[in-house]
Amino acid sequence: MTSPRPQVLLTRRIPSASLDRLAAHVDVDLNEAPGAMPAEELAARVRGKEGLISVLTDRITPELLAAAERLKVVANIAVGYENINVPAARERGVTVTNT
């Protein structure tokens, strides 16, 4: 019996070579809409996901982290991580990375 593939929410499109590599290992829920994802939609779509790949305009708040009960990692496509409440992530055992 094989275990289900991890699920990852990607809030923005990334280069196709990177997306293809990611999709080879996980199920990707890609936000295709232009601009920032509304907070309510982000919270709804991250539910049940193990990973979140975000950008600087995505606010990763304690409330969002509480909605994402299975979340293990937030990978931020940004130099910093000012958009992520790192202490709240740490409290929940969620790893935070950035590029």
Side-chain angles (χ1 to χ4, degrees), residues 31-67:
N31 175 35
E32 298 272 5
M37 187 183 300
E40 304 79 29
E41 181 182 353
L42 179 56
R45 286 178 69 174
V46 78
R47 281 188 182 92
K49 305 291 192 296
E50 287 85 9
L52 171 62
I53 301 175
S54 60
V55 296
L56 195 59
T57 56
D58 299 316
R59 306 305 311 139
I60 313 305
T61 64
E63 295 79 17
L64 180 114
L65 292 164

Side-chain angles (χ1 to χ4, degrees), residues 2-4 37 49 52 60-61 66 71 75-76 83 90 97:
T2 60
S3 60
M37 187 183 300
K49 305 291 192 296
L52 171 62
I60 313 305
T61 64
L71 196 63
N76 206 35
N83 58 312
R90 190 173 295 131
T97 68

